[in-house]
Structures are given as structure tokens and as C-alpha cells.
Amino acid sequence: MMVHSINKKIIALLLLSQLWFLGCQTSTVAPVAAGKNSGKADAGQYFTNPIAEGADPWVLKIGEVYYSCGSGNGGIYVSQSTKLTQLGERVPVWQAPDSGWNAHNVWAPELHYLQGKWYIYYTAGRTPGGPFIHQRSGVLESATGSPFGPYVDKGMLYTGDDLQNPESGKWAIDLTPFYLNGQLYAAWSGWEENAATDKTKQHLYLAKMSNPYTISSNRVKISSPTQPWETGGELDLNEGPELLKKKEKAFLIYSTRESWLKEYRLGQLTLADTLQDPMKADNWVKSGGPVFEGTEEVLGVGHCSFTTSPDNTEDWILYHAKKSATPGWSRDIRMQKFTWTQDGYPVFGKPIPAGVPLPVPSGQK
């Protein structure tokens, strides 16, 4: 198949490469506690968080390869690895143009393989720095069969209320595409109306897509920050939605509270049956509280993605956390295994502190 041939080529590239996340250190291998099972042979069976510098982690597993995507230096990079704990060399694949709607503030890219091609969904704005009032969502399409590009800019995605007027799109960040029952959808965080201040309430929206680079319906608002655990700070927001599916249920795990504060956390929307219409807001049920939040040792957890172990027997969440309680966006990337209840709901537990030895994902060599 095409994907397998792509993977063989990329794995070959990985074996030739000795570079490492632009020189930043990934996971630290911790020694096994003293005892009859200790020894050098066991060292590679453990890792510690954090696994990398950065934020908004995105990982896609295809076959035996993990593809990661991120932003930095005004552009987007892609990396690949056979080890989830070591995400590989960051290879620049796209640089923002000198001018235009997407010239600045590039963040939260996601790499997807859809309909036989590689796509990167990202957020950007036309002016540098804050206030972040011009942010919109766009998509890149690979011109070859490689996730390393080159990529063609397919433009800004429509995120508005008047499909007959494509220029009427509204502020939109953190867009992610996904399939439910054969239909492609896009979910994102947006404003009800464009505003002159970035201290504007953010909601979660959903729309249908006719192909990976075209939103073909008006948006539907499916969540607002209304619960006590979503409000009470400087800004009420819902952002960073990510789809998680288990049998007949679908979940949108999203971030809430302020991303620059230690109170950042994850909430959950549940579609009890994937046969229900996701475009009807009432079909999404919000969790009664945060499903993953910080502790005194791990601060500001949020903007997650999900994948499985190399042998597909374990589920893993990747997320970022703040490096200190000081307001700001200095963060690192972490990961841990999660489980499920008997009736099919995710259980993320508590974030595990940095430096604690954790078993590597099952099947990792």
C-alpha cells in the first residue's frame, strides 16, 4: 500500500539521521531501582517527563512510525520516529510568507494523512504579536507522498456563519479535522464575532468538510465556557479540541481556563453514540468537571493529542505543562498512559511529576 511504502522510506531516513529535536534533549532514561531486576539491559525500558521542549504537542501514528508536528521560528516542522518517547529530528517543512493573513503568530499545527495525501492544519495571523485579534486557520497540502513536503498553501479555511460570503469568516484557532461515520468534520475554537480585543470569550465550533481543504457548511457552536471550573479567571475560553473515539462513543477533549496560567486544564464533551448528529449541540454532553488538571508539581496542563503504543495495546496522552507558576507560555511536552472505564469513558488520572521513571510504551524497541 502507499502508506507502507512511505513508511519504509521515512524509516530509512530516520536510521541515517542522528540529529535530535534541533539539539534539545528529549526523554531522560532513568535507572531502574536497585534490586535483582536492575541492570543496564533494563535502562531502556523507562523514561521520564518532560520528553521535549515546546507546546501544543501533536503526534500521528501510522504503521510503526510516529509523526510529530510543531511550530517555531515563524514556520512549521515535522519529525518522525519509531519511539514515542523520542520524537526525532525537527525538519522545517514550511515558512510563513512575508505578508498576508498567515505571515505571523504561527501555532498549533497538526499533521494528518487524509484521502491519500499529507495535510497540515495551523493557526496564523497577519500582524506580529498581540493583541491576537487576526488569528485564522489554514491548511497546507504536501506536493509529494512525503510528510516532509514540500507543501502547497491551500489558503484560509472558512469559519463563519454565511457560506455564500466566504470572506465573512470569524476568528478561529486550533482547528482539527476528523471523520465520524464517513463524514469529514472540522472542530476549532472561535469567537462569536470578530473583536478589537483578544480578551474575548472563546467557544468550540464544528462544521462539515467536503474535502481536506474545504469547509462546506456554516459553523455550529457546540460548547461555551459556562461551568464554574471553566470560568473565574481573566478570560473564559474553550480551545484546543481533539477527537478521541472508543467503540460507539466519541469525545472531544478540550482545554479551558487561561493557557498562560497554572489553572489551564482539560474538559470533555461526549457524543454517546457516533450515529448521533455531531452538528447538533445538544448531542454533546459536557463533563461535570475537569478530566485532567494540574497539581502542585505539574502546572497548567493542556492542549493534548492521543496515540497508542507501538503494539497498539496501550493508549497514551501527550500534553504540555508550564515550567513555572509565572504567567506566560514557557512550556514543555509530556506524556503518560491512560485507561478506560468499563462503560467506555477515558480515565486520564493525574499528571505524573517530572523525573519519575515510567515504563516506555508497550512494544517500544
Side-chain angles (χ1 to χ4, degrees):
M1 293 176 65
M2 181 177 180
V3 174
H4 292 300
S5 63
I6 292 171
N7 288 340
K8 289 180 180 178
K9 293 179 182 179
I10 295 174
I11 291 172
L13 289 173
L14 174 66
L15 294 175
L16 292 173
S17 173
Q18 300 298 317
L19 295 177
W20 200 254
F21 255 34
L22 290 182
C24 74
Q25 185 177 6
T26 58
S27 60
T28 303
V29 176
V32 181
K36 64 180 182 180
N37 293 324
S38 64
K40 293 183 179 179
D42 295 324
Q45 298 177 12
Y46 293 84
F47 77 99
T48 63
N49 280 315
I51 63 168
E53 297 288 323
D56 306 333
W58 173 258
V59 173
L60 172 69
K61 181 176 182 287
I62 298 181
E64 299 178 349
V65 179
Y66 294 97
Y67 303 95
S68 180
C69 190
S71 61
N73 300 318
I76 294 172
Y77 65 81
V78 170
S79 62
Q80 53 86 32
S81 175
T82 56
K83 294 183 178 181
L84 183 56
T85 57
Q86 300 172 358
L87 296 178
E89 177 196 356
R90 290 173 167 172
V91 179
V93 299
W94 180 79
Q95 192 70 25
D98 294 333
S99 62
W101 76 268
N102 58 350
H104 303 281
N105 302 338
V106 179
W107 72 54
E110 294 187 4
L111 176 70
H112 292 262
Y113 190 75
L114 301 169
Q115 300 181 12
K117 291 187 177 182
W118 295 96
Y119 293 91
I120 294 177
Y121 299 82
Y122 67 99
T123 299
R126 61 181 174 85
T127 58
F132 302 99
I133 60 175
H134 301 294
Q135 295 301 97
R136 300 291 189 273
S137 292
V139 59
L140 310 173
E141 181 184 72
S142 179
T144 71
S146 170
F148 294 99
Y151 281 88
V152 176
D153 188 349
K154 300 294 285 186
M156 184 192 302
L157 288 160
Y158 170 71
T159 54
D161 302 311
D162 183 4
L163 192 60
Q164 304 307 313
N165 182 15
E167 302 301 319
S168 64
K170 301 295 195 299
W171 190 92
I173 66 170
D174 301 346
L175 188 143
T176 184
F178 57 84
Y179 276 101
L180 279 179
N181 292 319
Q183 172 64 51
L184 187 61
Y185 296 91
W188 68 90
S189 174
W191 295 348
E192 289 186 334
E193 298 292 340
N194 294 329
T197 173
D198 53 15
K199 296 297 186 289
T200 300
K201 184 181 293 187
Q202 294 172 222
H203 314 264
L204 296 185
Y205 292 91
L206 194 67
K208 291 182 179 180
M209 303 186 77
S210 57
N211 58 50
Y213 50 87
T214 306
I215 291 180
S216 55
S217 78
N218 290 324
R219 61 182 184 167
V220 172
K221 183 167 65 177
I222 60 172
S223 179
S224 296
T226 57
Q227 299 300 308
W229 49 274
E230 298 177 295
T231 60
E234 301 173 24
L235 176 63
D236 297 340
L237 60 82
N238 285 176
E239 63 184 16
E242 294 297 346
L243 186 76
L244 181 62
K245 287 193 289 187
K246 182 75 168 181
K247 296 181 179 179
E248 78 281 359
K249 293 183 177 67
F251 308 92
L252 275 176
I253 310 299
Y254 64 94
S255 302
T256 188
R257 291 295 305 261
E258 300 82 357
S259 62
W260 59 94
L261 300 179
K262 61 183 178 62
E263 288 78 16
Y264 206 44
R265 58 192 63 174
L266 297 180
Q268 175 178 294
L269 297 176
T270 301
L271 191 67
D273 193 322
T274 56
L275 294 178
Q276 293 179 318
D277 185 357
M279 295 285 284
K280 292 184 178 180
D282 289 346
N283 287 337
W284 293 98
V285 178
K286 184 173 291 189
S287 56
V291 293
F292 194 59
E293 61 180 328
T295 65
E296 292 183 357
E297 296 178 280
V298 186
L299 309 174
V301 300
H303 204 124
C304 61
S305 64
F306 305 100
T307 190
T308 58
S309 59
D311 63 7
N312 297 318
T313 64
E314 298 171 343
D315 292 292
W316 288 76
I317 179 174
L318 288 92
Y319 63 96
H320 69 229
K322 284 176 56 60
K323 292 185 177 181
S324 75
T326 303
W329 290 287
S330 179
R331 298 167 291 193
D332 53 37
I333 295 172
R334 306 177 181 218
M335 56 178 276
Q336 64 189 62
K337 186 171 64 173
F338 69 93
T339 59
W340 299 84
T341 64
Q342 288 187 345
D343 51 353
Y345 289 84
V347 178
F348 300 113
K350 294 182 178 180
I352 299 169
V356 174
L358 302 172
V360 299
S362 179
Q364 178 166 301
K365 301 177 182 178

